[in-house]
Amino acid sequence: MNEDELLQLYGVEPGKNQRESICKLLQQEMENQETEDHEVLKLLCVMLFALGSVEDTELIWEAKRKNQDTGSYIDVQLLCGAGFEETIAYLEKKGGEQAHEQLLYLRQCEPYNFVDFSIDQWLSGYKVYYGNGI
């Protein structure tokens, strides 16, 4: 599925009932080693960000860590669709190596990437980027 098909099917802000299928598509996209264009991967992360489920931070983290390109391509803010503090609290409670790594990364990025962080502003920016904006 390409970016345009995804946008037609789900839009930038999908319904909560579409979360599971978006997660599955993201998992498939991460497993696809032949993809050089990461637009689909990023769009799926944006969709999960828009849904705002704190649990999705882990899947988005895995997508961000797929390779060096996705590490740069997927904005750190996408890890915090539920909010920065909510995500930090979730990761602290969850524990484990992956949560610890992600927590350290977010703490390092906090003074640079989360000053005046607003979910609505980031979502609005993505809507403009994908042509569904203001």
Side-chain angles (χ1 to χ4, degrees):
M1 197 173 294
N2 67 33
E3 183 183 357
D4 291 333
E5 292 169 329
L6 283 171
L7 286 168
Q8 279 187 329
L9 188 59
Y10 299 110
V12 175
E13 287 187 273
K16 297 250 185 231
N17 62 331
Q18 297 169 314
R19 180 178 169 265
E20 188 176 319
S21 60
I22 293 168
C23 288
K24 285 180 185 175
L25 287 170
L26 181 55
Q27 196 71 33
Q28 290 170 358
E29 193 64 24
M30 285 189 295
E31 292 168 5
N32 183 355
Q33 297 300 320
E34 296 176 21
T35 301
E36 291 184 27
D37 175 14
H38 300 295
E39 274 298 321
V40 169
L41 192 73
K42 181 176 181 172
L43 177 55
L44 291 165
C45 290
V46 169
M47 290 175 178
L48 290 178
F49 172 85
L51 288 171
S53 179
V54 73
E55 297 86 14
D56 292 333
T57 190
E58 296 169 276
L59 188 57
I60 296 168
W61 175 251
E62 289 176 33
K64 185 168 180 58
R65 305 279 299 191
K66 178 182 176 181
N67 60 43
Q68 188 173 357
D69 290 338
T70 60
S72 299
Y73 201 71
I74 297 174
D75 300 316
V76 64
Q77 291 84 355
L78 290 177
L79 296 168
C80 298
F84 181 81
E85 292 302 326
E86 292 82 349
T87 303
I88 294 294
Y90 171 79
L91 292 169
E92 288 174 341
K93 190 174 187 178
K94 175 130 178 101
E97 187 177 329
Q98 181 177 317
H100 180 70
E101 285 178 24
Q102 187 179 345
L103 190 57
L104 288 176
Y105 182 76
L106 285 172
R107 288 288 188 206
Q108 288 176 333
C109 293
E110 183 178 12
Y112 309 101
N113 301 103
F114 290 97
V115 175
D116 299 325
F117 172 67
S118 163
I119 295 168
D120 291 336
Q121 276 187 321
W122 275 89
L123 190 53
S124 179
Y126 289 122
K127 286 179 184 178
V128 170
Y129 179 78
Y130 290 110
N132 297 330
I134 306 167

